[in-house]
């Protein structure tokens, strides 16, 4: 499978199981491999927010909005 699709499938599972360390590593690798993929930044922002890494989350949300300006979830 496509690496991005595999990562997209892994992250919600890790989050649902409260495995934030693993979700953090997957999303970090995903944004590094695909810096222009808004899905990567959406998941990265959510994970960083759950980890209470406020400044990093703020930057991830900003990048997500930059890549998907019409995405209402990103703007929220």
């Amino acid at each position: 499978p496509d690496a991005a699709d595999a990562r997209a499938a892994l992250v919600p599972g890790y989050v649902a199981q409260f495995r934030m360390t693993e979700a953090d590593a997957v999303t970090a690798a995903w944004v590094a491999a695909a810096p222009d993929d808004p899905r990567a930044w959406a998941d990265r922002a959510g994970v960083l927010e759950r980890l209470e890494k406020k400044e990093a989350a703020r930057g991830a949300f900003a990048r997500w909005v930059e890549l998907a300006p019409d995405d209402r979830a990103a703007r929220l």
Side-chain angles (χ1 to χ4, degrees), residues 14-50:
Y14 284 146
V15 171
Q17 295 175 1
F18 301 101
R19 294 172 61 182
M20 293 304 156
T21 302
E22 291 93 337
D24 185 32
V26 170
T27 59
W30 190 3
V31 298
D36 295 327
D37 187 342
R39 297 178 307 163
W41 287 102
D43 280 352
R44 182 76 179 141
V47 168
L48 290 169
E49 183 177 38
R50 285 175 178 85

